[in-house]
Amino acid sequence: MSIFVLIPGAWLDGWAWRQVAAELTAAGHRAVPVTLGTAPSDGLTEHIAQVSKVLAEQDEPVVLVGHSYGSFPALAAADAWPERVARTVLIDAPLPEDGESLVDLAPGEHGATVTGELVPYPEVAWLSGGDLPAEIAEQLPQRVPFWPARSMTEPIRLTGAFKRLPMTGVLCTLSGADLALVRGLHATGAPRFAWLANPANRYVELPSGHSPMFSMPERLAEVLAGAARGEGEPLLAD
């Protein structure tokens, strides 16, 4: 049995994980979906504190899952409390370095829209990837219509401890990510990508858009359970 702490991306809440959580629970695991704060005063610091509190409440190291923006509070909490994390899992997520913000890593997607205190749900359905069920697409703008701008512009603070933890990258191929892309990034020799080849890291490709928790929740739950067992492809051949 593993404990999965599930962190959603921007404009999503814990509800987004309901089907995945149900599958994990049915398989004998414990799933803890997290809803991040969406008040104007909620920035990355507050989101990290929320995730850290959840980690502190568990009685054993967890599999810490971050989807999209959720990688920021997930990795920062893992960096601060590595003894509470057995493995990180990043789903179609950016990989920040110390001092970077979400807007720094995705200026084309978010830079022009992040103004004021609250950012409205984007008109362009970037959460979809072409495979978001219609009923979900209709509900999402009503569930979390605004997201706090501070969470997207506040720089993350990292020591690098998270890079020593085992990590599983879930690569959503309809969203443009695959193992060949990650291998290409590592092959550039840029220091920020060196840790991607850590021997304990694993990678899984999913034929999904940006939000596999909606498009293929059963398969994603299987991938998460496999990640807890260390399954997946290494970045480099043995």
Side-chain angles (χ1 to χ4, degrees):
M1 188 276 286
S2 296
I3 301 173
F4 294 87
V5 175
L6 308 168
I7 314 302
W11 296 289
L12 296 175
D13 57 10
W15 175 86
W17 297 105
R18 71 200 187 287
Q19 290 177 278
V20 172
E23 293 288 333
L24 290 171
T25 301
H29 303 288
R30 183 181 177 196
V32 185
V34 175
T35 293
L36 300 172
T38 56
S41 58
D42 287 318
L44 178 58
T45 296
E46 286 73 24
H47 289 169
I48 294 167
Q50 283 185 265
V51 176
S52 298
K53 182 175 183 294
V54 173
L55 295 183
E57 293 170 346
Q58 310 311 311
D59 55 10
E60 64 181 70
V62 309
V63 179
L64 183 55
V65 182
H67 168 248
S68 191
Y69 160 79
S71 70
F72 276 77
L75 291 180
D79 193 74
W81 306 102
E83 71 278 5
R84 297 177 181 174
V85 178
R87 176 176 287 269
T88 59
V89 179
L90 306 178
I91 302 173
D92 214 29
L95 301 173
E97 290 285 292
D98 180 57
E100 293 180 336
S101 69
L102 180 65
V103 168
D104 291 331
L105 294 185
E109 293 180 10
H110 301 301
T113 61
V114 178
T115 58
E117 293 184 328
L118 292 172
V119 184
Y121 191 93
E123 293 183 7
V124 178
W126 62 273
L127 284 170
S128 171
D131 62 346
L132 193 66
E135 66 274 14
I136 298 296
E138 292 175 0
Q139 293 182 58
L140 290 182
Q142 283 71 50
R143 290 198 61 84
V144 186
F146 295 96
W147 194 258
R150 281 188 57 225
S151 70
M152 297 177 165
T153 59
E154 185 178 345
I156 195 170
R157 295 303 173 194
L158 299 166
T159 68
F162 77 93
K163 294 182 178 181
R164 295 188 287 274
L165 292 168
M167 182 273 290
T168 297
V170 179
L171 309 170
C172 299
T173 59
L174 295 184
S175 191
D178 58 20
L179 192 50
L181 173 65
V182 181
R183 285 174 173 152
L185 292 174
H186 179 265
T188 65
R192 67 181 299 140
F193 300 127
W195 72 283
L196 298 178
N198 287 358
N201 290 353
R202 292 292 182 268
Y203 298 87
V204 179
E205 293 180 342
L206 279 185
S208 165
H210 186 59
S211 303
M213 69 282 292
F214 298 125
S215 60
M216 49 178 61
E218 297 88 356
R219 176 61 183 139
L220 180 57
E222 292 174 355
V223 167
L224 295 181
R229 297 189 293 267
E231 297 177 2
E233 293 291 325
L235 189 68
L236 305 178
D238 294 335

